[in-house]
Amino acid sequence: MPELPEIETLRRTLEPQIPGRRLLAATPRRPDLRLPFPDFSPLLGQVVRSVDRRSKYLLLVFDAGTLLIHLGMSGSLSWASGQPGKHDHLDLVFEGLPQPLRLRDPRRFGSVQFQPVGTHHPSLAKLGPEPLDPALTARAFRALFSDRNTPIKIALMDPSVVVGVGNIYATEALFRAKIDPRLAAGSLSLARTTRLLGHVQDVLSEGIALGGSTLRDFHGLEGQVGTFSSTVQAYGRAGQPCVACSRPLTIIRQGGRATVFCAHCQR
DNA sequence: CTAAGGACCTGTCGGC
DNA sequence: TGCCGACAGGTCCTTA
């Protein structure tokens, strides 16, 4: 479910709701997700100072440190209603809010980590730049790929190169930029990587504006459904006609993930 | 160092 | 209807 636009949508929803409130309780219902749950005790009674995002990590900032929440492939947050289900793994109770913030994650690829104030968290340390950061220049973007022989789609999805571009957005951005996803990343001209950056920024911005992509079942905290899927031109459309040339779209696997592209338009 | 592949999990869908 | 394999939006680790 979650790519960068979904996390940003969550962040914007939580921003007016939880900063200034104390965390009263944290109730994990199992020892771990992909990683062990942290010891929440340093945060209990502490006021949430801000809700931030880095890459696909949602960051709850307290004076004592930061809680890093990653939703993996299947995680979601919602205001709890009723008894927790089998995949509801954590409740966070905030002062003055009637319902806990509930983390659900059937596949358990997500994680919750604690970063004490004044420390660097290893999960954040190796991340590449934010694609929507205005400080990311076209030349800096191209430099991320120099000397890389790996296919551009793999490089684009590598969080140590650039963050926040998951399979849907990588597929769509390459389709719009008319770049063959198999090309060696380092072989692309400045003109082409500049165009690619523009399309990466466009698809992410559109995803955010629409409240998150999510093909099937992304719901925001209020249950709103993402609608980016209606604007998808390549992802999930293998065999269907290219919107530009009408030839059937091709599907291949790269790094174990599906890549759909137009062998005629993307070169 | 880069690159490639598997591992981690459960749910869902399509084919037989 | 039931079973079985393939696949799913993301990292992280090991091996070469």
Short mmCIF file of all heavy atoms in Angstrom, two decimals, chain A residues 79-125:
data_model
loop_
_atom_site.label_atom_id
_atom_site.label_comp_id
_atom_site.label_asym_id
_atom_site.label_seq_id
_atom_site.Cartn_x
_atom_site.Cartn_y
_atom_site.Cartn_z
N TRP A 79 -7.79 5.60 13.20
CA TRP A 79 -8.30 5.82 14.55
C TRP A 79 -9.10 4.59 14.92
O TRP A 79 -10.04 4.22 14.22
CB TRP A 79 -9.13 7.09 14.62
CG TRP A 79 -8.31 8.31 14.32
CD1 TRP A 79 -8.42 9.11 13.22
CD2 TRP A 79 -7.22 8.83 15.08
NE1 TRP A 79 -7.47 10.10 13.27
CE2 TRP A 79 -6.71 9.96 14.41
CE3 TRP A 79 -6.62 8.45 16.29
CZ2 TRP A 79 -5.63 10.70 14.88
CZ3 TRP A 79 -5.55 9.21 16.76
CH2 TRP A 79 -5.06 10.31 16.07
N ALA A 80 -8.70 3.95 15.99
CA ALA A 80 -9.25 2.64 16.33
C ALA A 80 -10.74 2.73 16.63
O ALA A 80 -11.22 3.67 17.24
CB ALA A 80 -8.53 2.09 17.56
N SER A 81 -11.45 1.72 16.16
CA SER A 81 -12.84 1.58 16.58
C SER A 81 -13.07 0.12 16.91
O SER A 81 -12.82 -0.75 16.10
CB SER A 81 -13.79 2.02 15.46
OG SER A 81 -13.52 1.29 14.29
N GLY A 82 -13.47 -0.13 18.13
CA GLY A 82 -13.75 -1.51 18.53
C GLY A 82 -12.50 -2.27 18.90
O GLY A 82 -11.41 -1.73 19.02
N GLN A 83 -12.70 -3.56 19.09
CA GLN A 83 -11.61 -4.43 19.54
C GLN A 83 -10.59 -4.62 18.43
O GLN A 83 -10.95 -4.66 17.26
CB GLN A 83 -12.17 -5.79 19.96
CG GLN A 83 -13.03 -5.74 21.21
CD GLN A 83 -12.30 -5.13 22.39
OE1 GLN A 83 -11.23 -5.60 22.77
NE2 GLN A 83 -12.85 -4.05 22.94
N PRO A 84 -9.32 -4.73 18.82
CA PRO A 84 -8.29 -4.94 17.80
C PRO A 84 -8.45 -6.29 17.12
O PRO A 84 -8.78 -7.29 17.77
CB PRO A 84 -6.99 -4.88 18.60
CG PRO A 84 -7.37 -5.12 20.02
CD PRO A 84 -8.77 -4.61 20.17
N GLY A 85 -8.24 -6.31 15.81
CA GLY A 85 -8.28 -7.55 15.06
C GLY A 85 -6.93 -8.23 15.05
O GLY A 85 -5.96 -7.74 15.63
N LYS A 86 -6.91 -9.33 14.35
CA LYS A 86 -5.72 -10.18 14.31
C LYS A 86 -4.47 -9.44 13.79
O LYS A 86 -3.36 -9.75 14.20
CB LYS A 86 -6.11 -11.34 13.39
CG LYS A 86 -5.06 -12.14 12.75
CD LYS A 86 -5.75 -13.18 11.85
CE LYS A 86 -4.72 -14.10 11.23
NZ LYS A 86 -5.32 -15.00 10.23
N HIS A 87 -4.65 -8.48 12.91
CA HIS A 87 -3.49 -7.79 12.35
C HIS A 87 -3.29 -6.38 12.91
O HIS A 87 -2.52 -5.61 12.37
CB HIS A 87 -3.61 -7.73 10.83
CG HIS A 87 -3.68 -9.07 10.19
ND1 HIS A 87 -2.70 -10.03 10.36
CD2 HIS A 87 -4.61 -9.65 9.42
CE1 HIS A 87 -3.02 -11.12 9.70
NE2 HIS A 87 -4.19 -10.92 9.13
N ASP A 88 -4.01 -6.07 13.97
CA ASP A 88 -3.82 -4.77 14.63
C ASP A 88 -2.76 -4.95 15.70
O ASP A 88 -3.00 -5.56 16.74
CB ASP A 88 -5.15 -4.31 15.25
CG ASP A 88 -6.19 -4.01 14.19
OD1 ASP A 88 -5.80 -3.61 13.08
OD2 ASP A 88 -7.40 -4.18 14.47
N HIS A 89 -1.56 -4.43 15.43
CA HIS A 89 -0.40 -4.79 16.25
C HIS A 89 0.00 -3.75 17.28
O HIS A 89 0.78 -4.05 18.17
CB HIS A 89 0.79 -5.08 15.34
CG HIS A 89 0.52 -6.12 14.31
ND1 HIS A 89 0.03 -7.38 14.63
CD2 HIS A 89 0.63 -6.09 12.96
CE1 HIS A 89 -0.12 -8.08 13.52
NE2 HIS A 89 0.22 -7.33 12.49
N LEU A 90 -0.49 -2.52 17.13
CA LEU A 90 -0.05 -1.47 18.06
C LEU A 90 -1.13 -0.39 18.16
O LEU A 90 -1.69 0.02 17.15
CB LEU A 90 1.25 -0.81 17.54
CG LEU A 90 1.79 0.39 18.31
CD1 LEU A 90 2.31 -0.04 19.68
CD2 LEU A 90 2.88 1.09 17.52
N ASP A 91 -1.40 0.06 19.39
CA ASP A 91 -2.24 1.23 19.62
C ASP A 91 -1.41 2.31 20.31
O ASP A 91 -0.67 2.01 21.25
CB ASP A 91 -3.44 0.88 20.54
CG ASP A 91 -4.58 0.19 19.80
OD1 ASP A 91 -4.48 0.04 18.56
OD2 ASP A 91 -5.55 -0.20 20.46
N LEU A 92 -1.56 3.54 19.85
CA LEU A 92 -0.93 4.69 20.51
C LEU A 92 -2.06 5.58 21.02
O LEU A 92 -2.90 6.04 20.23
CB LEU A 92 -0.04 5.47 19.53
CG LEU A 92 1.16 4.71 18.95
CD1 LEU A 92 1.88 5.57 17.91
CD2 LEU A 92 2.13 4.28 20.06
N VAL A 93 -2.07 5.82 22.32
CA VAL A 93 -3.13 6.62 22.94
C VAL A 93 -2.61 8.02 23.22
O VAL A 93 -1.58 8.18 23.88
CB VAL A 93 -3.61 5.97 24.27
CG1 VAL A 93 -4.71 6.81 24.91
CG2 VAL A 93 -4.08 4.54 24.02
N PHE A 94 -3.32 9.02 22.70
CA PHE A 94 -2.92 10.41 22.91
C PHE A 94 -3.93 11.12 23.79
O PHE A 94 -5.14 10.90 23.67
CB PHE A 94 -2.80 11.13 21.56
CG PHE A 94 -1.72 10.57 20.68
CD1 PHE A 94 -2.04 9.62 19.69
CD2 PHE A 94 -0.40 10.95 20.83
CE1 PHE A 94 -1.05 9.08 18.88
CE2 PHE A 94 0.59 10.41 20.03
CZ PHE A 94 0.28 9.48 19.05
N GLU A 95 -3.38 11.99 24.63
CA GLU A 95 -4.19 12.80 25.53
C GLU A 95 -5.25 13.58 24.74
O GLU A 95 -4.93 14.23 23.74
CB GLU A 95 -3.24 13.78 26.22
CG GLU A 95 -3.86 14.75 27.18
CD GLU A 95 -2.77 15.66 27.75
OE1 GLU A 95 -1.86 16.07 26.99
OE2 GLU A 95 -2.82 15.94 28.94
N GLY A 96 -6.49 13.47 25.19
CA GLY A 96 -7.54 14.29 24.60
C GLY A 96 -8.16 13.72 23.35
O GLY A 96 -9.08 14.31 22.79
N LEU A 97 -7.65 12.59 22.87
CA LEU A 97 -8.25 11.96 21.69
C LEU A 97 -8.96 10.68 22.14
O LEU A 97 -8.37 9.85 22.82
CB LEU A 97 -7.18 11.63 20.65
CG LEU A 97 -6.50 12.84 20.02
CD1 LEU A 97 -5.44 12.41 19.02
CD2 LEU A 97 -7.52 13.75 19.34
N PRO A 98 -10.21 10.54 21.78
CA PRO A 98 -11.00 9.43 22.31
C PRO A 98 -10.55 8.06 21.80
O PRO A 98 -10.73 7.06 22.48
CB PRO A 98 -12.43 9.74 21.83
CG PRO A 98 -12.26 10.65 20.65
CD PRO A 98 -11.00 11.43 20.90
N GLN A 99 -9.97 8.06 20.62
CA GLN A 99 -9.60 6.76 20.07
C GLN A 99 -8.10 6.69 19.85
O GLN A 99 -7.47 7.67 19.45
CB GLN A 99 -10.31 6.54 18.73
CG GLN A 99 -11.81 6.40 18.90
CD GLN A 99 -12.56 6.67 17.61
OE1 GLN A 99 -12.23 7.60 16.88
NE2 GLN A 99 -13.55 5.85 17.35
N PRO A 100 -7.51 5.51 20.07
CA PRO A 100 -6.08 5.36 19.82
C PRO A 100 -5.77 5.34 18.33
O PRO A 100 -6.63 4.99 17.50
CB PRO A 100 -5.73 4.00 20.44
CG PRO A 100 -6.98 3.43 20.99
CD PRO A 100 -8.13 4.30 20.62
N LEU A 101 -4.56 5.72 18.01
CA LEU A 101 -4.06 5.56 16.65
C LEU A 101 -3.60 4.12 16.54
O LEU A 101 -2.76 3.65 17.30
CB LEU A 101 -2.89 6.52 16.44
CG LEU A 101 -2.35 6.65 15.01
CD1 LEU A 101 -3.41 7.17 14.06
CD2 LEU A 101 -1.13 7.60 15.01
N ARG A 102 -4.18 3.41 15.57
CA ARG A 102 -3.98 1.95 15.51
C ARG A 102 -3.20 1.57 14.27
O ARG A 102 -3.54 1.98 13.15
CB ARG A 102 -5.33 1.25 15.52
CG ARG A 102 -5.27 -0.25 15.46
CD ARG A 102 -6.61 -0.87 15.84
NE ARG A 102 -6.82 -0.81 17.29
CZ ARG A 102 -7.96 -1.16 17.88
NH1 ARG A 102 -8.99 -1.57 17.16
NH2 ARG A 102 -8.07 -1.10 19.19
N LEU A 103 -2.15 0.78 14.48
CA LEU A 103 -1.32 0.29 13.37
C LEU A 103 -1.73 -1.13 13.01
O LEU A 103 -1.69 -2.03 13.85
CB LEU A 103 0.16 0.31 13.78
CG LEU A 103 1.16 -0.34 12.82
CD1 LEU A 103 1.14 0.32 11.45
CD2 LEU A 103 2.56 -0.28 13.41
N ARG A 104 -2.14 -1.29 11.76
CA ARG A 104 -2.53 -2.60 11.25
C ARG A 104 -1.53 -2.97 10.17
O ARG A 104 -1.15 -2.14 9.35
CB ARG A 104 -3.94 -2.49 10.68
CG ARG A 104 -4.43 -3.73 9.95
CD ARG A 104 -5.83 -3.44 9.35
NE ARG A 104 -6.19 -4.51 8.42
CZ ARG A 104 -6.77 -5.65 8.79
NH1 ARG A 104 -7.06 -5.85 10.07
NH2 ARG A 104 -7.03 -6.59 7.91
N ASP A 105 -1.09 -4.22 10.14
CA ASP A 105 -0.11 -4.62 9.14
C ASP A 105 -0.12 -6.13 8.95
O ASP A 105 0.65 -6.86 9.58
CB ASP A 105 1.29 -4.14 9.55
CG ASP A 105 2.33 -4.37 8.45
OD1 ASP A 105 1.97 -4.93 7.39
OD2 ASP A 105 3.49 -4.00 8.66
N PRO A 106 -0.98 -6.61 8.03
CA PRO A 106 -1.10 -8.07 7.85
C PRO A 106 0.21 -8.76 7.51
O PRO A 106 0.51 -9.82 8.05
CB PRO A 106 -2.11 -8.19 6.70
CG PRO A 106 -2.90 -6.93 6.75
CD PRO A 106 -1.94 -5.87 7.23
N ARG A 107 1.00 -8.17 6.65
CA ARG A 107 2.24 -8.85 6.24
C ARG A 107 3.40 -8.64 7.20
O ARG A 107 4.40 -9.32 7.10
CB ARG A 107 2.65 -8.40 4.84
CG ARG A 107 1.96 -9.19 3.76
CD ARG A 107 2.30 -8.66 2.40
NE ARG A 107 3.46 -9.29 1.83
CZ ARG A 107 3.94 -9.01 0.61
NH1 ARG A 107 3.36 -8.09 -0.11
NH2 ARG A 107 4.97 -9.64 0.16
N ARG A 108 3.25 -7.66 8.04
CA ARG A 108 4.27 -7.37 9.07
C ARG A 108 5.63 -7.03 8.47
O ARG A 108 6.66 -7.37 9.03
CB ARG A 108 4.39 -8.53 10.07
CG ARG A 108 3.07 -8.93 10.69
CD ARG A 108 3.23 -9.56 12.05
NE ARG A 108 4.11 -10.70 12.12
CZ ARG A 108 3.72 -11.96 11.96
NH1 ARG A 108 2.44 -12.23 11.71
NH2 ARG A 108 4.58 -12.93 12.05
N PHE A 109 5.62 -6.38 7.32
CA PHE A 109 6.88 -5.87 6.76
C PHE A 109 7.20 -4.48 7.30
O PHE A 109 8.25 -3.93 6.98
CB PHE A 109 6.80 -5.78 5.23
CG PHE A 109 6.97 -7.09 4.53
CD1 PHE A 109 7.08 -8.27 5.23
CD2 PHE A 109 7.03 -7.16 3.16
CE1 PHE A 109 7.23 -9.49 4.58
CE2 PHE A 109 7.19 -8.36 2.48
CZ PHE A 109 7.28 -9.54 3.20
N GLY A 110 6.30 -3.93 8.05
CA GLY A 110 6.52 -2.61 8.62
C GLY A 110 7.46 -2.65 9.81
O GLY A 110 7.97 -3.71 10.19
N SER A 111 7.70 -1.48 10.40
CA SER A 111 8.55 -1.43 11.58
C SER A 111 8.21 -0.18 12.39
O SER A 111 7.71 0.81 11.85
CB SER A 111 10.03 -1.40 11.19
OG SER A 111 10.32 -0.24 10.44
N VAL A 112 8.49 -0.26 13.68
CA VAL A 112 8.42 0.90 14.56
C VAL A 112 9.73 0.93 15.33
O VAL A 112 10.13 -0.07 15.93
CB VAL A 112 7.23 0.80 15.55
CG1 VAL A 112 7.21 2.00 16.50
CG2 VAL A 112 5.90 0.70 14.79
N GLN A 113 10.43 2.06 15.24
CA GLN A 113 11.74 2.17 15.87
C GLN A 113 11.82 3.46 16.67
O GLN A 113 11.10 4.42 16.39
CB GLN A 113 12.85 2.16 14.81
CG GLN A 113 12.89 0.89 13.99
CD GLN A 113 13.85 1.01 12.81
OE1 GLN A 113 13.47 1.37 11.72
NE2 GLN A 113 15.13 0.74 13.06
N PHE A 114 12.71 3.47 17.64
CA PHE A 114 12.91 4.67 18.46
C PHE A 114 14.33 5.18 18.26
O PHE A 114 15.29 4.42 18.29
CB PHE A 114 12.67 4.35 19.94
CG PHE A 114 12.94 5.52 20.85
CD1 PHE A 114 12.30 6.73 20.66
CD2 PHE A 114 13.85 5.40 21.90
CE1 PHE A 114 12.55 7.81 21.49
CE2 PHE A 114 14.10 6.48 22.75
CZ PHE A 114 13.46 7.69 22.54
N GLN A 115 14.41 6.47 18.04
CA GLN A 115 15.70 7.12 17.88
C GLN A 115 15.86 8.15 18.99
O GLN A 115 15.23 9.21 18.97
CB GLN A 115 15.75 7.84 16.52
CG GLN A 115 16.95 8.73 16.32
CD GLN A 115 16.79 9.64 15.12
OE1 GLN A 115 15.75 9.66 14.46
NE2 GLN A 115 17.83 10.40 14.83
N PRO A 116 16.66 7.84 20.02
CA PRO A 116 16.83 8.80 21.11
C PRO A 116 17.37 10.13 20.59
O PRO A 116 18.13 10.16 19.62
CB PRO A 116 17.87 8.13 22.03
CG PRO A 116 17.80 6.68 21.69
CD PRO A 116 17.45 6.62 20.22
N VAL A 117 16.96 11.23 21.23
CA VAL A 117 17.36 12.55 20.77
C VAL A 117 18.89 12.66 20.77
O VAL A 117 19.57 12.10 21.62
CB VAL A 117 16.72 13.65 21.65
CG1 VAL A 117 17.28 13.62 23.07
CG2 VAL A 117 16.91 15.03 21.02
N GLY A 118 19.39 13.31 19.75
CA GLY A 118 20.84 13.50 19.67
C GLY A 118 21.58 12.37 18.99
O GLY A 118 22.80 12.41 18.89
N THR A 119 20.85 11.35 18.54
CA THR A 119 21.51 10.23 17.87
C THR A 119 21.09 10.20 16.41
O THR A 119 20.10 10.80 16.01
CB THR A 119 21.11 8.88 18.50
OG1 THR A 119 19.71 8.66 18.26
CG2 THR A 119 21.37 8.89 20.00
N HIS A 120 21.87 9.49 15.62
CA HIS A 120 21.50 9.26 14.23
C HIS A 120 20.92 7.87 14.13
O HIS A 120 21.47 6.92 14.69
CB HIS A 120 22.73 9.37 13.32
CG HIS A 120 23.21 10.77 13.17
ND1 HIS A 120 22.54 11.70 12.41
CD2 HIS A 120 24.29 11.41 13.68
CE1 HIS A 120 23.19 12.85 12.46
NE2 HIS A 120 24.26 12.71 13.23
N HIS A 121 19.82 7.77 13.41
CA HIS A 121 19.25 6.44 13.28
C HIS A 121 19.79 5.75 12.04
O HIS A 121 19.77 6.32 10.96
CB HIS A 121 17.72 6.50 13.22
CG HIS A 121 17.13 5.16 13.52
ND1 HIS A 121 17.11 4.15 12.60
CD2 HIS A 121 16.60 4.66 14.65
CE1 HIS A 121 16.55 3.09 13.16
NE2 HIS A 121 16.24 3.36 14.40
N PRO A 122 20.26 4.50 12.17
CA PRO A 122 20.84 3.80 11.02
C PRO A 122 19.87 3.67 9.84
O PRO A 122 20.30 3.72 8.69
CB PRO A 122 21.24 2.43 11.57
CG PRO A 122 20.67 2.35 12.94
CD PRO A 122 20.38 3.72 13.41
N SER A 123 18.57 3.54 10.12
CA SER A 123 17.61 3.41 9.02
C SER A 123 17.51 4.69 8.20
O SER A 123 17.13 4.66 7.04
CB SER A 123 16.22 3.05 9.54
OG SER A 123 16.24 1.76 10.11
N LEU A 124 17.83 5.81 8.80
CA LEU A 124 17.73 7.09 8.09
C LEU A 124 19.08 7.53 7.52
O LEU A 124 19.13 8.35 6.61
CB LEU A 124 17.21 8.18 9.03
CG LEU A 124 15.85 7.94 9.68
CD1 LEU A 124 15.45 9.13 10.55
CD2 LEU A 124 14.77 7.68 8.64
N ALA A 125 20.15 6.97 8.08
CA ALA A 125 21.48 7.48 7.75
C ALA A 125 21.87 7.28 6.30
O ALA A 125 22.56 8.10 5.71
CB ALA A 125 22.52 6.83 8.67
#
